[in-house]
Structure formats: C-alpha cells, structure tokens
C-alpha cells in the first residue's frame, strides 16, 4: 500500500463531517437571508471586491488583466482569484453571485479539510469537531467570505496543502503551494514551514523538493506575470497599501520598529476579531460566556497539571482523547494522542511556524491587519484549534473524576456540578451541553457580523456605486475620472479611471506625497471622485490632505455632486471594518484642464 493511499474513514467521522457541512451550509444561507429575501440587493462590503470584479470582467471579455480595457495593469493582488472569477463570469454568472459561489464553496471545503486534517494530526473527535465548527460560527470569516475577496480561497488552499503533506502526497502539496502563491504571493511562506515538517518527519530530500519546486513555480509564474504586464516584479498594490498603513507615506522598512509594529498589528487584529464584539455584547450573553469559559479554563489547567504528573502511556496504549483517538493511528500522519503529545509536535509546528512567518512578514512590510482583519486570516486557524483543545482537555479532566459513578443519575449530576458542568460522559450529552452554551455565542457572532456586512455593503452601494452610476449618466463617454477608490467607479461608470491610490498605476506613488493635483493634470482627468470624511467621526481627513488634493490652487475644481452615508449607519460598521470613507465628492476639472493644456 502506498503512503498516499487513504484508508476507509470511521463511520463517526463521516457523520461528523456531514453534520459540519450541513451546519455550514445553513449558516451561509442564514447569513445571506436578507439578500435571498429581497430586502438587500447583492453587493460587496469593500470597494476592493469591485476591483477584482472589474479585472475579472475585462479578463473574460477582452482576455487581458486591466482596470481600463486596452491598458494592462496589475491592480489585483490575487491572480488565481481573478482568473477563477473571470471564468465564472464568462460562464454567465454576474460578478457578485459568482464571487459568493466561489467563496461559499471554498468555505464548505475549508471546514471539511480542516476537520480531516485535525484527525490526521491525531486530534480527538470532540476537539476536531469543535475546531471545525468554530470556523463557520465565527462571523468574521463569513464577512471575509462574502466580501468579494480571495481570503477564504487562500485559507482553503493552505489547509489542503497541509492535508496533502500529512498524507505524504508531496507532489500534490507542491501543486497546492503553487496555487497558494498565485492566490496571494505571501502564500510562499507556507513552503519553509512544510519543508521543515517534512524533513523532520521523513528525513528525505525526495520528500522536500516537490514542496520547494511547487512554491518556486508559483512564485515564478506570479513574478513573470507582473513583469510582463507592468515591468515590476510585484503588484503595484503593495505601495498603495503601505501608503495607507503608514498614514500617508511610503517608508523604508525599519527593523528597529518591528517589535512594536508586530505587537500593535496582532493587537488590532484581536480587537477586530473578538474584543470589538465583546465590548458591545449584551450583559446576559456576557454572563453565558463567563459561565461557559470559567469551568473550561479551570478544567483545562487541571488537565494539563495532571498530565504532567502522570507517567507516559505505554506504546500503543490509548491516550484517552475523547471519542476517536482509537481511529487516529489508522490515518497516515496521525498519532496515538491528543493535541499536546510529543509525536504531534511536527504538524502543529508547521502550522504555527507558517502563521508566525505570515504575521511577521506583514509586521515588516505592511503593519496593517486589512479590512476586518483579512490580511491576518491565518491567525484564525490556531485559535479554532485552541478552542477545540481547551474543550477536549476539560472533558478529559472532568471525565476522570466522574467515572466511578456508573449509575444513579442524580449522583452523577451532583458530581458534574462539583467537577465542572462539562463532565458528562458520552458524545451525545456533551454535544447537547456544547450546543446549549455555544449556540447563543455563535448566533451573536454571526448576526453581529451579518449586520456589519449589510451596513458596509449599503455603504459601498450608497456612496461608491451611486457615484459611479451618476458618472455614467452625466458625463461624456470619453471622460476620464480620477479616483482614489477605483473599484465600483471602474465597474459601473463605463469610463476610463485614473488611479490616485497607487493600486493599479505605479506611477501614482511618486505623486502621493502631496502632489496628486499634478498627477491629475498629467493624466488629463476631467472629473475627480474623491473620498471625504465626516470630520471627527472615526476617520480623519488625512487621505485627501496627504495626497495634496486641491492644495496650492493648481486645480480650480468645483463640486458638482456629493454622495454620502449617514453618520449612524457609518458608525455601525467602520470601527470593525475600516472599509471606506463615508462621503464621495464628484469634482469637475475640465475647465482647469483646458487652462493648463492650452
């Protein structure tokens, strides 16, 4: 039997997988219910989603990567996502349903492969189930999924690649790494983590080289594509995002500031993922969280202390992880133990090393967690695994103190209350208790992030999309529109768009230090679509100011239309997502252009 041959799955794992997939599909439909019900039109909560959609549409219609047809550019970071979305749109699906379909399928596969991978890592049945269920139960992952971005696809490809390495399918893992790099270039950071794991496990270069070759192939394709389109080895989006992350400047990389940047980066991500929700959580639900967390935490600590005092189990003896550890050794790459045993260090090391490398790279190059924390999405995976480990450890700890009570239900209930409320034996009672406690928490997370998603989508529709539609109906077909947020403007206006944010046009970066008016004149834009804040509400007006828009009288512009979202609606999502400014001003510059060109 070859190393990659998959043995039959235990019946319990199949059943758990069906439950997980059915639950995930239900969550997806629940999240989209306002759209399916007709109360919310389809849309994206980010202007960036419309950038991908524009590139995908032009790829499907004209066979080129371009923001403006006929002018190739590299304003999309995810080459693979653009190609897939372009294929879906070429098949007849509109941009928004097409992106949702790709991301929704990615989430379903992510849950299935993550659950399977945890079993390969030697995780017990309960821990694997809880860790996999935590993904669709985290509302922020649903926000990423329906943002029009490649985040969920990126996580899926990373987990599939880890899964193939766990099954010793090194060529399949190499292919997965190539796709991962094409999904996002920082995916190459998974390669050293997997190479380290594979070398420690197999001690064979023949097992390592397919991984490195796959990563190198993906990197060469990505760099070659950028060189062919723009003449630069990387996408122009990096400079634009660094300008935003550093408050309107593009600094040199400073190693000395790295510790502080790393700390604040992770802190901002944690605040987005959890602390922002906890801050607004209703008091009754906070009480439920406290009741749920306290005994689990103490049970886990007692379990860890007991494990340190117990002698190691004899070779081949069951370790006592809940439910399915007896099946773990039947799978390639699995161990006989739960999450914390010695022979599972290597696979967990690979996951942790990758997440550390990913986070470190962002702290060095782009210390910004992204809209709703999407740049640091891999951090969600160890958090989900940790949740499963904590609950599983508590069950095992309290189970030891209740096993002497085989009958007498009243006595068992009393012992359960003394030992910790999660010490019931058996899969069904434990799952019932988990559902009773964590379902309200999951529903709160999902409904909160759905509200945030709806509000941020309405924001983009009311400001960016309406501005683009106005431009389409009130300007000449050959007009040039200069814009900082270019996605919806390019997709809906039908006009040539001049990029002021350095995402699609690298030439803009040289003018973003206060000379953007000169760039507008250079590109001969008749109109500008400039974002603007509500002064004193969450987002200061530093973007137009640092660009130098309207400074020095070079542009004798006048505003012809304004689009905005009300402050209460803006406050409901901006702190968690940072998706866009609340206002957009359409300024006419045609007279000014004639004055400077004649």
């Amino acid at each position: 039997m070859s190393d990659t041959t998959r043995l039959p799955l235990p019946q319990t794992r199949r059943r758990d997988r069906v439950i997980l997939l059915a639950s995930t599909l239900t969550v997806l439909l629940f999240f989209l219910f306002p759209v399916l019900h007709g109360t919310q039109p389809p849309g994206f909560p980010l202007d960036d989603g419309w950038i991908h959609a524009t590139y995908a549409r032009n790829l499907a219609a004209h066979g080129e990567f371009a923001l403006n047809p006929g002018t190739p550019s590299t304003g999309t970071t995810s080459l693979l996502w653009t190609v897939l979305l372009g294929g879906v749109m070429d098949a007849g699906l509109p941009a928004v349903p097409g992106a949702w379909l790709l991301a929704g399928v990615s989430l379903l596969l992510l849950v299935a492969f993550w659950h399977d991978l945890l079993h390969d890592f030697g995780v017990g049945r309960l821990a694997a189930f809880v860790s996999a269920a935590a993904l669709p139960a985290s509302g922020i992952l649903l926000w990423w999924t329906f943002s029009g971005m490649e985040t969920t696809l990126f996580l899926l490809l990373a987990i599939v690649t880890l899964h193939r390495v766990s099954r010793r399918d090194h060529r399949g893992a190499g292919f997965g790494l190539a796709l991962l790099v094409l999904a996002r270039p920082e995916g190459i950071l998974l390669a050293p983590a997997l190479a380290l794991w594979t070398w420690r496990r197999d001690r064979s270069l023949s097992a390592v080289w397919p991984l490195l070759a796959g990563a190198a192939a993906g990197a060469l394709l990505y760099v070659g594509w950028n060189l062919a389109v723009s003449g630069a080895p990387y996408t122009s989006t990096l400079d634009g995002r660094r300008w935003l992350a550093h408050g309107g400047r593009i600094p040199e990389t400073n190693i000395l500031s790295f510790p502080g940047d790393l700390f604040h980066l992770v802190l901002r991500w944690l605040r987005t993922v959890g602390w922002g929700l906890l801050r607004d959580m209703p008091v009754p639900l906070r009480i439920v969280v406290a009741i749920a967390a306290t005994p689990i935490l103490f049970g886990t600590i007692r379990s860890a202390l007991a494990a340190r005092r117990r002698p190691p189990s004899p070779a081949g003896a069951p370790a006592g992880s809940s439910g399915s550890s007896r099946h773990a050794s039947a799978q390639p790459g699995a161990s006989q133990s739960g999450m914390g045993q010695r022979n599972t260090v290597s696979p967990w090391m690979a996951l942790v090393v990758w997440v550390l490398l990913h986070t470190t790279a962002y702290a060095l190059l782009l210390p910004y967690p992204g809209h709703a924390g999407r740049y640091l999405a891999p951090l969600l995976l160890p958090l989900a695994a940790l949740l499963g480990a904590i609950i599983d450890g508590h069950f095992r700890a309290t189970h030891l103190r209740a096993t002497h009570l085989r009958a007498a239900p009243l006595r068992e209930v009393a012992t359960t209350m003394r030992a910790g409320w999660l010490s019931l034996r058996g899969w069904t009672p434990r799952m019932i208790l988990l559902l009773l406690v964590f379902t309200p928490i999951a529903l709160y997370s999902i409904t909160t992030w759905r509200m945030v998603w709806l509000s941020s989508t309405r924001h983009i529709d009311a400001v960016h999309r309406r501005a683009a539609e106005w431009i389409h109906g009130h300007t000449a077909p050959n007009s040039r529109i200069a814009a900082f947020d270019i996605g919806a403007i390019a997709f809906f206006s039908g006009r040539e768009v001049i990029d002021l944010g350095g995402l699609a046009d690298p030439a803009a970066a040289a003018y973003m230090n206060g000379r953007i008016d000169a760039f507008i004149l250079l590109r001969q834009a008749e109109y500008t679509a400039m974002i603007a804040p509500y002064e004193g509400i969450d987002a200061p007006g530093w973007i137009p100011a640092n660009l130098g828009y309207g400074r020095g009288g070079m542009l004798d512009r006048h505003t012809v239309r304004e689009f905005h979202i009300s402050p209460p609606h803006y406050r409901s999502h901006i702190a968690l997502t940072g998706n866009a400014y609340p206002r957009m001003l359409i300024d006419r510059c045609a007279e000014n252009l004639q004055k400077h060109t004649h």
Side-chain angles (χ1 to χ4, degrees):
M1 182 182 295
S2 67
D3 286 338
T4 58
T5 299
R6 184 171 183 179
L7 299 178
L9 285 172
Q11 188 64 32
T12 53
R13 192 192 299 189
R14 290 197 188 98
R15 184 178 64 183
D16 293 349
R17 180 184 295 175
V18 169
I19 294 173
L20 285 168
L21 291 178
S23 301
T24 303
L25 182 59
T26 302
V27 168
L28 290 173
L29 295 175
F30 173 76
F31 198 85
L32 288 179
F33 179 76
V35 177
L36 300 176
H37 190 253
T39 57
Q40 166 70 31
F44 295 135
L46 289 176
D47 187 66
D48 299 55
W50 291 112
I51 296 178
H52 280 306
T54 301
Y55 273 88
R57 182 182 62 186
N58 289 333
L59 180 63
H62 308 289
E64 59 184 6
F65 289 94
L67 181 72
N68 300 303
T71 307
S73 59
T74 58
T76 171
T77 306
S78 180
L79 178 60
L80 180 62
W81 179 257
T82 303
V83 170
L84 292 175
L85 184 55
V88 170
M89 294 176 68
D90 190 49
L93 271 181
V96 177
W100 288 355
L101 176 64
L102 289 174
V105 172
S106 296
L107 180 58
L108 287 167
L109 293 174
L110 172 63
V111 171
F113 275 98
W114 177 240
H115 180 249
D116 214 32
L117 180 67
L118 291 172
H119 278 288
D120 283 0
F121 280 9
V123 173
R125 180 188 177 193
L126 180 64
F129 187 92
V130 171
S131 297
L135 295 182
S138 58
I140 193 170
L141 180 55
L142 299 172
W143 194 96
W144 297 337
T145 298
F146 294 111
S147 66
M149 306 301 289
E150 73 287 345
T151 308
T152 310
L153 175 67
F154 180 75
L155 291 178
L156 168 65
L157 291 173
I159 293 306
V160 169
T161 304
L162 279 162
H163 182 271
R164 299 325 302 160
V165 173
S166 75
R167 301 298 177 89
R168 289 182 167 85
D169 178 10
H170 301 114
R171 292 185 179 180
F175 182 68
L177 277 171
L179 293 179
L180 185 66
V181 174
L182 295 176
R184 285 198 69 88
E186 62 266 29
I188 199 171
L189 298 174
L190 182 58
L194 293 182
L196 181 61
W197 170 24
T198 303
W199 175 254
R200 287 192 57 174
R201 183 187 63 187
D202 300 331
R203 301 291 179 180
S204 170
L205 288 177
S206 63
V208 173
W209 80 260
L211 306 177
L212 301 180
L220 287 174
L221 284 173
Y222 195 85
V223 171
W225 167 68
N226 280 280
L227 288 172
V229 174
S230 67
Y234 58 88
T235 60
S236 52
T237 57
L238 179 60
D239 286 339
R241 291 307 179 200
R242 295 190 73 201
W243 187 88
L244 280 173
H246 290 279
R249 59 190 180 89
I250 304 177
E252 298 293 330
T253 300
N254 185 0
I255 300 296
L256 296 179
S257 67
F258 165 72
D261 288 341
L262 179 63
F263 174 78
H264 288 101
L265 179 66
V266 175
L267 189 66
R268 287 179 65 185
W269 188 84
L270 289 173
R271 185 180 295 117
T272 299
V273 172
W275 294 350
L277 293 180
L278 291 175
R279 178 190 59 199
D280 300 324
M281 184 177 288
V283 173
L285 195 54
R286 293 188 188 187
I287 295 174
V288 171
V289 172
I291 293 173
T294 302
I296 293 176
L297 179 61
F298 280 101
T300 304
I301 295 173
R302 296 183 66 172
S303 175
L305 295 176
R308 291 182 59 128
R309 290 194 294 266
R310 286 197 302 269
S313 301
S321 63
S322 59
S324 65
S325 61
R326 63 183 179 273
H327 299 299
S329 60
Q331 297 299 327
S335 71
Q336 296 278 345
S337 64
M339 284 188 173
Q341 301 300 322
R342 181 181 178 185
N343 56 355
T344 59
V345 170
S346 290
W348 290 112
M349 177 191 67
L351 179 64
V352 172
V353 167
W354 170 54
V355 171
L356 287 176
L357 288 174
H358 182 94
T359 308
T360 299
Y362 269 95
L364 284 172
L365 297 175
L366 185 60
Y368 171 58
H371 308 100
R374 64 185 179 90
Y375 289 161
L376 300 185
L379 282 172
L380 196 64
L381 298 174
L383 288 181
L386 181 62
L387 176 64
I390 288 174
I391 293 176
D392 185 60
H394 177 80
F395 273 138
R396 283 186 275 118
T398 54
H399 173 73
L400 295 175
R401 296 193 295 277
T403 51
H404 65 284
L405 294 174
R406 300 295 181 184
L410 292 178
R411 293 175 61 194
E412 179 161 336
V413 170
T415 303
T416 297
M417 295 178 66
R418 292 196 303 270
W421 60 270
L422 286 179
S423 59
L424 287 177
R425 296 189 300 276
W427 174 257
T428 301
R430 292 174 177 179
M431 288 308 301
I432 292 174
L433 283 171
L434 285 174
L435 287 173
L436 289 175
V437 173
F438 290 106
T439 297
I441 300 173
L443 282 175
Y444 176 74
S445 174
I446 294 168
T447 54
T448 298
W449 276 103
R450 185 176 70 174
M451 181 275 294
V452 170
W453 176 76
L454 290 171
S455 180
S456 48
T457 300
R458 289 165 184 157
H459 175 181
I460 298 299
D461 286 347
V463 178
H464 297 65
R465 183 170 179 170
R466 286 186 60 208
E469 291 170 346
W470 185 91
I471 290 170
H472 178 78
H474 294 81
T475 63
N478 61 346
S479 296
R480 298 184 185 93
I481 314 299
F484 186 83
D485 286 352
I486 58 176
I489 298 294
F491 192 88
F492 292 105
S493 71
R495 304 291 182 263
E496 181 182 348
V497 174
I498 310 301
D499 174 29
L500 302 182
L503 298 184
D505 188 350
Y511 295 87
M512 294 171 66
N513 58 352
R515 301 188 300 122
I516 204 65
D517 286 359
F519 185 70
I520 294 172
L521 292 174
L522 178 68
R523 290 290 191 256
Q524 300 183 356
E526 287 91 352
Y527 293 86
T528 61
M530 180 56 66
I531 55 175
Y534 286 123
E535 294 297 338
I537 301 179
D538 299 310
W542 63 264
I543 288 183
N546 284 24
L547 287 172
Y549 181 64
R551 183 186 302 170
M554 182 176 291
L555 286 178
D556 187 16
R557 56 188 173 81
H558 64 276
T559 301
V560 294
R561 190 65 192 268
E562 175 181 338
F563 299 90
H564 61 270
I565 186 173
S566 66
H569 285 96
Y570 182 62
R571 288 192 184 98
S572 67
H573 65 266
I574 189 61
L576 288 176
T577 65
N579 66 327
Y581 272 23
R583 301 164 62 215
M584 182 171 288
L585 306 178
I586 309 299
D587 293 344
R588 179 172 172 80
C589 307
E591 299 88 347
N592 183 63
L593 176 62
Q594 294 173 1
K595 181 169 61 178
H596 282 81
T597 55
H598 293 288

